């Protein structure tokens, strides 16, 4: 369906673009007096003009006067910097708790004109239909929105966790028939499955390669042995899990693209960028990405513009940092003839920046040849996307939850027992396994606000089996009776509850179920709820409203003693069993080992 932000293929535009460059056909838009950030040559070129015909660029040069007619919109850049729009090379829209339309509104004003979006969150809830909904909605926005087929639904296998759907090689192949904007296979998190020849994972990668697409990775084992080579040999050519400079170096040396992440709560760029700033590694295969950004961090800090500023602060030159979110990203996915640089034939995805280039102060965004944002405000209205009933009624619990559902029976009647405990780490995606002594009274484990120890429950919410597993977590920080419940529990997105009071855990869980998904923070003083009715992951309310509701959840967490930076983003990963070291699924505790993932008991024998 053609809409106002249509992006026609280059082949369809060739006659008009050539005629416009000659001056025989007048441009629809001309930018003059620009300081062009040329990411292809790595330089800033003064006094440049850009001529646009429809959605694509027809001309780049000194003098565009021959392109200007009575209907041409002329924008005088007045010496401001003009750059390709920014591209996010690895991002989950759903993690921002807003729909694709609202995400576009939030990031276009910040200079993001496109991205490579892995919708594996909604895919784990609704399967291929959910992925298709995200693609269809993204196509109605000004963004150059490329989607990736979720590779890990579930993230490992049904023997370790329960997702709302299962995607395998046949589904991957089907999704690639939806169009060229289904660009790649999403992050392959079951890295042990790839390395040790799991039939499903190998089949999905083969389906992507046979469709002429690339495959993205997620590899968290050490990089100093043969296994990273085995992973790369499968055809996986990009990875966003580097957390050290050495992680980046080893990936780049194997020909992979190293994606350096600065999400709301994952602060990896400061360490990983040293591969360039201290070790001198060529940046052509280095990309800056967000992975996950909370709605309030989009408002307060920004999107890719924030990551670029951060990289510059670490010592990267501004032009190099911009290359890491434009041409490098486009080349990684094989679409640099469409996006990622200002060149004749490319889409007119252009941003204008005021002041010092290092400040990345975006004052205008042009997407597909249209001015869509100026001075931090959208200048166009985006159509509303209506989700079907099955997408907004996805929380299917068999019954209301009770306090006794959160009781953990101990193997002894009284005293203390050794138990495995997840230790949360601020600004890190991983946890640590701790073996702690936990008191037992009347055969039940005891947690309270004095010990910084919480219970955690993961309850299957897709209406499939009603599984429930219980575990323990520390370093959450609760210093009063409190509980938080959410259906944003990466990646299977079952109902996750964390707390130190069985009564409050039940109350929080039921509050989330009552609004068909979202987040509920409960203390003895009351509750704060953020409804996320779209697949239990997203709200279709304006992103500004969702940001304030998310901020309220963060404040409620702080009031209860959980003071981590963007705490909810970290807590939401505690059910993501493919990230080291210890996690909880609806099946039980899962430990990452040198051989892969295995279920382990809560209690440890003396």
């Amino acid at each position: 369906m053609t809409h106002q932000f249509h992006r026609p293929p280059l082949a369809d535009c060739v006659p008009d673009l050539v005629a416009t460059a000659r001056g025989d056909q007048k441009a629809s838009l001309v930018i003059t007096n620009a300081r062009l950030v040329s990411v292809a040559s790595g330089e800033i070129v003064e006094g440049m003009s850009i001529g646009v015909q429809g959605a694509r660029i027809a001309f780049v040069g000194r003098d565009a006067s021959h392109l200007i007619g009575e209907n041409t919109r002329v924008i005088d850049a007045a010496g401001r910097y003009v750059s390709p729009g920014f591209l996010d090379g690895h991002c989950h829209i759903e993690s921002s708790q807003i729909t694709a339309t609202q995400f576009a509104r939030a990031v276009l004003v910040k200079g993001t004109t496109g991205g490579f979006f892995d919708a594996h969150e909604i895919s784990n809830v609704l399967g291929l239909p959910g992925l298709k909904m995200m693609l269809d909605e993204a196509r109605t926005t000004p963004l150059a929105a490329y989607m990736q087929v979720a590779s890990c639904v579930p993230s490992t296998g049904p023997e370790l966790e329960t997702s709302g759907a299962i995607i395998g090689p046949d589904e991957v192949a089907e999704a690639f028939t939806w169009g060229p904007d289904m660009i790649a296979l999403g992050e392959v998190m079951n890295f042990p499955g790839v390395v040790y020849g799991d039939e499903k994972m190998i089949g999905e990668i083969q389906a992507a390669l046979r469709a002429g697409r690339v495959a993205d990775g997620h590899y968290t084992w050490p990089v100093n042995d043969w296994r990273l080579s085995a992973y790369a040999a499968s055809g996986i050519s990009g990875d966003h899990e580097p957390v050290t400079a050495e992680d980046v170096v080893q990936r780049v040396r194997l020909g992979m693209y190293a994606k350096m992440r600065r999400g709301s709560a994952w602060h990896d760029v400061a360490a990983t960028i040293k591969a360039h700033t201290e070790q001198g590694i060529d940046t052509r295969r280095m990309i800056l990405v967000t992975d996950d950004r909370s709605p309030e961090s989009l408002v307060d800090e920004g999107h890719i513009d924030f990551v670029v500023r951060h990289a510059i602060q670490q010592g990267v030159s501004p032009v190099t940092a911009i290359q890491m979110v434009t041409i490098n990203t486009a080349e990684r996915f094989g679409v640099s003839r469409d996006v990622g640089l200002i060149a004749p034939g490319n889409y007119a995805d252009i941003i204008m920046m005021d002041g010092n280039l290092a400040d990345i102060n975006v004052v205008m965004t042009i997407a597909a040849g249209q001015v869509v944002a100026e001075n931090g405000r959208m200048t166009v209205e985006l159509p509303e996307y209506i989700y079907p009933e099955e997408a907004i009624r996805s929380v299917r619990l068999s019954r209301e939850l009770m306090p006794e559902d959160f009781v953990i029976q101990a193997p002894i009647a009284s005293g203390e027992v050794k138990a495995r405990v997840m230790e949360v780490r601020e600004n890190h995606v991983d946890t640590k396994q701790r073996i702690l002594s936990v008191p037992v009274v009347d055969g039940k484990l005891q947690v309270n606000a004095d010990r910084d120890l919480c219970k955690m429950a993961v309850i299957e919410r897709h209406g499939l089996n009603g599984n429930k597993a219980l575990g323990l977590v520390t370093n959450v920080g609760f210093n009063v009776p409190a509980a938080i419940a959410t259906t944003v529990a990466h990646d299977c997105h079952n109902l996750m509850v964390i707390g130190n009071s069985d009564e409050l855990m039940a109350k929080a869980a039921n509050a989330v179920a009552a609004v068909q998904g979202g987040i509920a923070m409960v203390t003895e003083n009351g509750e704060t709820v953020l409804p996320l009715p779209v697949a239990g992951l997203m709200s279709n309310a304006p992103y500004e409203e969702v940001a304030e509701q998310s901020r309220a959840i963060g404040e409620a967490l702080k009031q209860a003693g959980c003071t981590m930076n963007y705490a909810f983003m970290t807590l939401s990963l505690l059910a993501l069993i493919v990230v080291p070291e210890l996690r909880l699924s609806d099946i039980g505790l899962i430990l990452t080992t040198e051989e892969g993932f295995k279920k382990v008991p809560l209690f440890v024998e003396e």
Side-chain angles (χ1 to χ4, degrees):
M1 179 178 69
T2 301
H3 57 81
Q4 68 181 113
F5 307 113
H6 180 53
R7 290 176 174 269
L10 177 59
D12 295 350
C13 304
V14 168
D16 289 338
L17 295 177
V18 174
T20 301
R22 288 197 309 265
D24 294 345
Q25 187 172 334
K26 300 308 177 184
S28 54
L29 173 70
V30 168
I31 301 171
T32 62
N33 300 317
R35 301 176 77 182
L36 177 64
V37 180
S38 175
V39 295
S41 60
E43 60 183 335
I44 295 171
V45 188
E46 306 279 348
M48 295 296 285
S49 296
I50 303 161
V52 176
Q53 185 60 258
R56 290 185 178 266
I57 298 168
F59 172 87
V60 179
R62 297 285 180 189
D63 182 8
S65 58
H66 64 298
L67 309 182
I68 299 173
E70 61 181 39
N71 295 320
T72 303
R73 178 174 181 178
V74 180
I75 298 173
D76 184 357
R80 295 183 180 91
Y81 292 98
V82 172
S83 162
F86 298 154
L87 303 170
D88 194 337
H90 181 77
C91 177
H92 308 287
I93 291 175
E94 307 98 310
S95 291
S96 296
Q97 300 164 10
I98 49 180
T99 59
T101 300
Q102 291 301 318
F103 182 84
R105 289 187 61 242
V107 303
L108 283 162
V109 298
K110 306 289 188 179
T112 300
T113 58
F116 301 85
F117 303 115
D118 186 350
H120 70 204
E121 318 296 357
I122 197 170
S123 298
N124 268 281
V125 178
L126 300 175
L128 280 191
L131 175 61
K132 187 63 162 59
M133 290 175 205
M134 290 291 286
L135 177 65
D136 288 344
E137 181 179 7
R139 285 171 171 170
T140 71
T141 76
L143 291 172
Y146 298 92
M147 286 287 167
Q148 297 178 271
V149 186
S151 66
C152 292
V153 180
S155 64
T156 54
E159 72 281 0
L160 295 179
E161 56 186 338
T162 305
S163 58
I166 294 177
I167 290 178
D170 291 344
E171 289 79 12
V172 169
E174 177 186 340
F176 284 134
T177 67
W178 297 345
D181 48 356
M182 288 303 308
I183 195 71
L185 185 67
E187 57 176 300
V188 182
M189 296 182 290
N190 188 358
F191 51 93
V194 175
V195 170
Y196 291 107
D198 176 81
E199 184 176 334
K200 174 179 177 288
M201 296 317 309
I202 296 297
E204 289 184 15
I205 296 168
Q206 289 178 305
L209 298 177
R210 286 170 179 152
R213 307 311 208 275
V214 298
D216 256 355
H218 169 124
Y219 182 95
T220 64
W221 272 334
V223 294
N224 54 3
D225 62 26
W226 60 271
R227 293 174 298 182
L228 182 60
S229 279
Y231 193 65
S234 73
I236 294 172
S237 50
D239 187 5
H240 67 283
E241 287 296 329
V243 295
T244 68
E246 187 64 16
D247 289 342
V248 170
V249 171
Q250 293 303 325
R251 285 165 172 80
V252 171
R253 285 176 177 169
L254 294 181
M256 301 177 77
Y257 282 83
K259 302 181 181 185
M260 299 169 293
R261 169 177 53 196
R262 182 63 155 83
S264 297
W266 340 131
H267 296 182
D268 298 328
V269 169
T272 54
I273 202 68
K274 291 178 181 177
H276 167 62
T277 57
E278 295 185 1
Q279 299 190 40
I281 293 297
D282 193 303
T283 59
R284 73 185 67 190
R285 289 180 182 262
M286 297 171 67
I287 297 172
L288 299 171
V289 304
T290 66
D291 199 358
D292 302 304
R293 297 288 284 165
S294 72
E296 69 269 35
S297 67
L298 290 177
V299 171
D300 296 345
E301 296 175 337
H303 187 236
I304 279 289
D305 60 317
F306 171 73
V307 187
V308 174
R309 278 192 296 273
H310 176 63
I312 293 169
Q313 291 164 2
Q314 308 308 309
V316 181
S317 77
V319 173
T320 299
I322 290 171
Q323 287 174 320
M324 291 179 179
V325 298
T326 56
I327 189 169
N328 292 12
T329 312
E331 288 181 343
R332 184 271 174 283
F333 289 98
V335 290
S336 60
R337 289 300 292 120
D338 285 331
V339 295
L341 67 161
I342 294 175
N346 276 51
Y347 286 124
D349 294 339
I350 300 166
I351 61 174
M352 189 180 298
M353 292 173 282
D354 205 359
N356 190 312
L357 183 58
D359 295 335
I360 311 295
N361 180 27
V362 179
V363 296
M364 178 180 287
T365 304
I366 298 168
Q370 296 187 51
V371 177
V372 297
E374 287 188 74
N375 300 314
R377 294 184 178 274
M378 292 292 292
T379 58
V380 296
E381 293 291 328
L382 305 189
E384 182 182 4
Y385 183 85
I386 305 299
Y387 278 85
E389 183 74 9
E390 60 267 26
I392 58 176
R393 300 201 64 82
S394 64
V395 179
R396 304 181 182 94
L397 300 180
S398 60
R399 60 174 176 83
E400 188 174 273
L401 291 160
M402 307 298 289
E404 48 265 34
D405 289 314
F406 302 97
V407 171
I408 301 178
Q409 297 291 336
I412 60 175
S414 63
E416 290 198 343
V417 64
K418 298 284 188 182
R420 288 185 171 87
V421 179
M422 288 173 279
E423 181 183 359
V424 179
R425 303 181 68 219
E426 184 177 21
N427 293 333
H428 289 81
V429 297
D430 62 329
T431 67
K432 294 298 182 183
Q433 176 183 230
R434 298 292 181 230
I435 308 299
L436 300 180
S437 294
V438 184
V440 177
V441 176
D442 296 331
K444 301 173 184 178
L445 281 192
Q446 302 296 303
V447 301
N448 57 59
D450 297 329
R451 294 201 55 181
D452 191 18
L453 190 65
C454 289
K455 294 179 182 179
M456 176 174 164
V458 177
I459 303 159
E460 188 275 319
R461 63 97 164 181
H462 306 293
L464 298 174
N465 54 38
N467 284 346
K468 180 189 71 177
L470 299 168
L472 297 169
V473 59
T474 189
N475 211 29
V476 173
F478 288 160
N479 54 24
V480 297
I484 185 168
T486 180
T487 48
V488 180
H490 302 274
D491 271 346
C492 287
H493 298 292
N494 287 305
L495 177 60
M496 181 177 70
V497 192
I498 299 168
N500 54 24
S501 161
D502 296 343
E503 290 74 18
L504 295 182
M505 291 177 77
K507 186 175 181 180
N510 291 324
V512 167
V515 294
Q516 275 298 308
I519 310 166
M521 178 66 198
V522 179
T523 67
E524 292 176 331
N525 295 324
E527 65 183 49
T528 304
V529 180
L530 168 52
L532 300 172
V534 180
L537 302 172
M538 298 175 287
S539 170
N540 57 4
Y543 77 87
E544 299 93 337
E545 295 179 15
V546 180
E548 289 310 305
Q549 292 175 306
S550 181
R551 196 187 311 278
I553 294 289
E555 286 301 315
L557 280 163
K558 288 179 183 178
Q559 290 298 317
C562 182
T563 59
M564 287 184 292
N565 178 53
Y566 293 111
F568 176 75
M569 299 294 284
T570 298
L571 297 178
S572 70
L573 293 186
L574 293 181
L576 181 53
I577 66 175
V578 293
V579 176
E581 180 171 41
L582 185 66
R583 305 276 161 158
L584 183 70
S585 78
D586 65 302
I587 303 293
L589 281 173
I590 308 300
L591 182 69
T592 301
T593 71
E594 288 296 303
E595 292 74 37
F597 313 109
K598 69 175 183 178
K599 183 179 176 183
V600 294
L602 173 61
F603 299 109
V604 179
E605 294 184 5
E606 297 288 347

